[in-house]
Amino acid sequence: MILISEDFQKALMRWDKEPGRLNMTHQIAQAMLNRTSPRGNEVLLDYGTGTGLIALEFLYSVKKIVAVDSSKDMLTFLQKKLNADSITTIEPLEWSIGSDPSQLPEFDIIIVSLTLHHVPDTSQAAEVFYSLLKPGGIIAIADLDPDNGESHEPEMTVHHGFVREDLMEIFKKAGFTTIQIDSVATLAKESSKTGVLKEFPIFLMIAHKDK
C-alpha cells in the first residue's frame, strides 16, 4: 500500500472541496457529457484524472472508467474515495503519455481536463490518444487559451495555453475528424506574475475517430 503524507492528504481534501474549483469542474464535466453523449455501455479513459472529480461525474453514464495519472499520491487518494463509496467501475492506474500503450485497452471515449498543457509533446499525445480510441470513438479535451504564463507558477514546465486553431490542426494531422471547439468555463486564480485575481478562459475541443 502507498501511504500519503497527512499534509498532502489534507491539501487534496481542501482541493476536492473548494467551491470555485468544484463549480468549474462541474461545468467542464457537464459539457463533456453533453458533447460525448454516452449511452451507458462505453469504456472511458480519463487522462490526468487527479482526484477523480470529472471521472465521478461520468460514473453512471458509462460502463467502465480507467482513471490514469502520473501521480501515485493522487491515485491513492482517489482509491480511498472509491473504497469509501464501494465504487468498482472506476479503475485508478498509474500511466502517462510515453508509457507503454499496450497496458491499456481500446476506449470508446477519452476525456482530458486541464492536463494536456502538462504534456511536453502535444503531437505525440494526439497520436497516442488516436491509437487508443476504437473506430467511431470520441475525445473531449478541456484546456486553457494562451495565458501569458500566468496560470501556473514560473517553475512549472507547461504549455502556456493553446491557440485553438493550432491545437485543432495538430489533432487533424493525427487522424481526427469533425473537430469542434467552444468556450465552456473559466479558471479563477491569482496571476503568477501580478498576484491579481484573474479569469482564464477554458475551451472544450471535441474530435472523432472515423469508423
Side-chain angles (χ1 to χ4, degrees):
M1 178 191 296
I2 301 170
L3 299 177
I4 310 177
S5 73
E6 186 175 347
D7 287 345
F8 189 65
Q9 180 162 306
K10 288 179 179 178
L12 289 180
M13 290 176 69
R14 289 193 298 271
W15 171 279
D16 253 18
K17 295 178 180 179
E18 200 278 312
R21 183 173 293 108
L22 287 175
N23 181 59
M24 175 196 71
T25 301
H26 178 68
Q27 289 180 14
I28 293 171
Q30 288 304 302
M32 287 180 164
L33 277 163
N34 290 337
R35 288 161 175 76
T36 58
S37 301
R39 300 181 302 276
N41 60 346
E42 293 89 355
V43 179
L44 179 145
L45 172 67
D46 180 14
Y47 184 78
T49 191
T51 61
L53 290 175
I54 289 187
L56 286 165
E57 294 217 29
F58 274 83
L59 180 61
Y60 300 111
S61 298
V62 297
K63 181 179 179 181
K64 180 181 178 180
I65 298 170
V66 180
V68 305
D69 205 284
S70 60
S71 169
K72 292 181 180 179
D73 286 338
M74 288 283 195
L75 294 171
T76 301
F77 184 80
L78 172 56
Q79 187 64 67
K80 287 184 176 182
K81 288 168 60 175
L82 300 176
N83 291 345
D85 291 329
S86 300
I87 296 171
T88 59
T89 54
I90 296 180
E91 176 191 353
L93 179 68
E94 185 182 356
W95 190 88
S96 61
I97 300 295
S99 301
D100 183 1
S102 68
Q103 293 178 282
L104 302 173
E106 285 189 313
F107 297 95
D108 302 286
I109 301 172
I110 296 175
I111 58 173
V112 189
S113 179
L114 297 180
T115 300
L116 187 61
H117 61 260
H118 290 287
V119 181
D121 191 333
T122 309
S123 295
Q124 180 191 18
E127 292 168 1
V128 171
F129 289 143
Y130 187 84
S131 72
L132 289 172
L133 273 178
K134 294 178 183 178
I138 186 170
I139 187 168
I141 297 177
D143 220 298
L144 297 161
D145 286 316
D147 61 8
N148 193 34
E150 293 182 79
S151 69
H152 289 79
E153 295 306 314
E155 65 271 14
M156 292 191 71
T157 304
V158 296
H159 298 283
H160 298 314
F162 296 101
V163 175
R164 299 183 183 192
E165 292 76 13
D166 293 348
L167 187 63
M168 292 170 72
E169 185 62 26
I170 288 171
F171 275 73
K172 182 179 178 181
K173 286 181 178 178
F176 287 95
T177 59
T178 320
I179 304 173
Q180 298 175 310
I181 196 162
D182 299 289
S183 299
V184 292
T186 56
L187 169 65
K189 65 183 301 185
E190 291 182 358
S191 165
S192 62
K193 293 186 176 181
T194 67
V196 176
L197 185 65
K198 187 173 180 179
E199 289 193 341
F200 299 94
I202 297 171
F203 61 79
L204 179 62
M205 184 180 77
I206 300 295
H208 299 257
K209 182 174 182 175
D210 286 341
K211 294 182 179 179

